[in-house]
Amino acid sequence: MKIYTVGGAVRDQLLGLPVKDHDHVVVGATPEDMLRQGFRPVGKDFPVFLHPKTQEEYALARTERKTAPGYRGFVFHTAPDVTLEDDLVRRDLTINAIAQAEDGTLTDPFGGIQDIENKIFRHVSDAFGEDPVRILRLARFAARFHTFTVAPATLDLMRQMVLDGEVDALVAERVWQELAKGLMESHPSRMLTVLHECGALQRIVPEITLSERLLQVIDHAAAQGHELPVRFAALMLHVSKDAIEQLSERLRVPNECRELAVMAARELDQINGALDLHAEAVMSLCERCDGLRKPQRFVQLLQAVACHGLVTGDFAPAARLQGGLDAARAVNAGALAQGCTEPKRIPEVIHAARVAAVQAFLAQA
């Protein structure tokens, strides 16, 4: 039995990047061998085991055979006679198909080290074309390693996969998972451009119209270190509210991302023009956006709109609206309600007090 570290851990080590997770492949072993050594089985589709001490994943070397469309249509085979190269050839990119033995020796049968040096994404074999998730993964890697380029033959294969309808077989949750990861990388624009170049963007998110401005906006959101809902909202700023709802329903986008994106698209013009809004209009905007109950989401809303203007410092409309909201939230609604002799007028009294507080803030600003 021989154990090798494979995939991202080896790649990132060669790139001089911090290594977060270690994946291992075990050659020449059976499930029974792993159990005898104390490993705990966790794999459903094929034998994967957790190390008894480190809890890192150890997978038996395996081969796979395509049996149906989509990324789930595979049959896996594991046996002690499956070689390391048999296992590596099924991997997506050459930079992810390098193995390191326990003594540090590298096995690189497909030129991954050279592709790392030349900053190239290249598919290992034609098996790449059997799994549409690999298009999404490559695009996500492009957002992380933004100086890498896609090998022409690999891009051609991706385009053919799109034409063959492989992308249409992707499961919604997996599409969102990969898109979300890509949005959280340092240069999400590269993910979008790679997907666009191979034709996949138009198939999975046709609501997005790519432009140089949009690429700048989404990279700006990343550069500011914003959270995922803000980055998604920045991406959707010029998409109609109905289209955002449709996209979110189709891809099962989390509610916090969907709601913020719809709100930002709806209020974009109002927020950008906030310096001209009077107290009643500021209060109305805060109420429409449920800022009184969800102040943190209101902050995210202002962050998303600031990305539209590529603002790196203070965003004057945001300061005006945030100050107005803070003033309104400082009003003691409970005390006003208790002191009101006409219960039906309580909402009116509280609203008026909040508008007055906003007016006082604007007068000082």
Side-chain angles (χ1 to χ4, degrees):
M1 182 172 77
K2 292 184 178 181
I3 297 175
Y4 300 87
T5 302
V6 294
V10 182
R11 177 200 66 221
D12 290 349
Q13 178 181 309
L14 292 172
L15 283 166
L17 300 173
V19 176
K20 298 179 181 179
D21 300 310
H22 291 83
D23 292 322
H24 307 272
V25 63
V26 183
V27 178
T30 65
E32 291 73 23
D33 294 331
M34 301 297 287
L35 293 173
R36 278 195 294 270
Q37 297 199 31
F39 286 81
R40 182 163 58 89
V42 293
K44 294 180 180 180
D45 298 325
F46 47 84
V48 176
F49 300 83
L50 295 183
H51 191 280
K53 293 182 179 179
T54 67
Q55 301 302 307
E56 292 179 343
E57 288 193 356
Y58 288 69
L60 295 186
R62 66 186 186 268
T63 61
E64 61 186 31
R65 179 170 54 87
K66 182 79 166 176
T67 59
Y71 78 98
R72 290 180 174 172
F74 292 92
V75 172
F76 298 94
H77 168 70
T78 61
D81 62 350
V82 176
T83 68
L84 177 61
E85 187 165 329
D86 289 336
D87 184 272
L88 294 176
V89 74
R90 69 174 179 79
R91 296 177 181 271
D92 52 3
L93 302 173
T94 60
I95 64 172
N96 296 329
I98 308 168
Q100 185 174 41
E102 292 178 292
D103 65 0
T105 304
L106 295 175
T107 299
D108 179 27
F110 307 107
I113 295 175
Q114 183 175 353
D115 282 342
I116 286 176
E117 293 173 351
N118 295 331
K119 298 184 177 180
I120 292 175
F121 296 123
R122 190 190 314 278
H123 63 288
V124 174
S125 69
D126 288 342
F128 182 101
E130 298 176 347
D131 185 355
V133 170
R134 291 178 169 182
I135 292 178
L136 299 176
R137 278 172 52 83
L138 191 155
R140 172 164 62 85
F141 284 136
R144 182 185 307 174
F145 308 118
H146 65 279
T147 58
F148 279 54
T149 59
V150 183
T154 301
L155 187 57
D156 288 342
L157 178 56
M158 293 163 65
R159 286 171 175 157
Q160 190 60 52
M161 292 168 67
V162 174
L163 292 175
D164 290 343
E166 281 285 343
V167 171
D168 301 328
L170 285 166
V171 176
E173 291 91 343
R174 192 59 191 272
V175 173
W176 170 251
Q177 181 185 61
E178 295 295 330
L179 287 177
K181 288 180 179 178
L183 286 175
M184 292 306 294
E185 297 291 358
S186 62
H187 289 75
S189 65
R190 287 282 290 125
M191 173 180 68
L192 299 176
T193 54
V194 167
L195 291 175
H196 175 73
E197 287 170 359
C198 72
L201 186 69
Q202 298 87 319
R203 299 291 273 270
I204 59 177
V205 279
E207 294 85 356
I208 296 177
T209 301
L210 220 55
S211 67
E212 189 61 37
R213 177 69 177 187
L214 177 61
L215 298 177
Q216 292 175 348
V217 167
I218 191 58
D219 278 354
H220 181 76
Q224 299 302 303
H226 290 319
E227 296 172 319
L228 177 60
V230 177
R231 299 191 193 199
F232 180 67
L235 179 64
M236 295 285 114
L237 275 174
H238 289 296
V239 177
S240 71
K241 297 183 291 294
D242 288 344
I244 296 172
E245 294 282 13
Q246 292 168 6
L247 181 154
S248 299
E249 181 71 22
R250 187 177 69 253
L251 298 185
R252 301 180 186 177
V253 174
N255 284 339
E256 61 176 347
C257 292
R258 175 182 59 81
E259 291 171 359
L260 186 65
V262 169
M263 191 181 300
R266 183 187 73 214
E267 304 294 348
L268 176 63
D269 292 339
Q270 279 282 295
I271 293 174
N272 278 329
L275 296 182
D276 297 324
L277 296 181
H278 51 72
E280 182 69 48
V282 168
M283 192 65 241
S284 176
L285 190 153
C286 291
E287 290 173 339
R288 282 198 309 276
C289 299
D290 205 9
L292 293 163
R293 288 196 318 120
K294 298 182 177 180
Q296 184 53 41
R297 189 178 66 178
F298 194 78
V299 171
Q300 292 182 324
L301 171 66
L302 299 178
Q303 289 173 339
V305 175
C307 289
H308 173 261
L310 305 179
V311 178
T312 55
D314 292 335
F315 181 42
R320 183 178 178 87
L321 292 174
Q322 187 64 61
L325 176 63
D326 292 343
R329 294 187 73 240
V331 171
N332 191 333
L336 289 174
Q338 288 181 349
C340 186
T341 57
E342 300 178 51
K344 291 183 179 180
R345 294 192 62 241
I346 289 177
E348 173 189 342
V349 169
I350 293 175
H351 177 79
R354 286 170 172 166
V355 171
V358 172
Q359 180 61 57
F361 164 76
L362 296 180
Q364 296 174 355

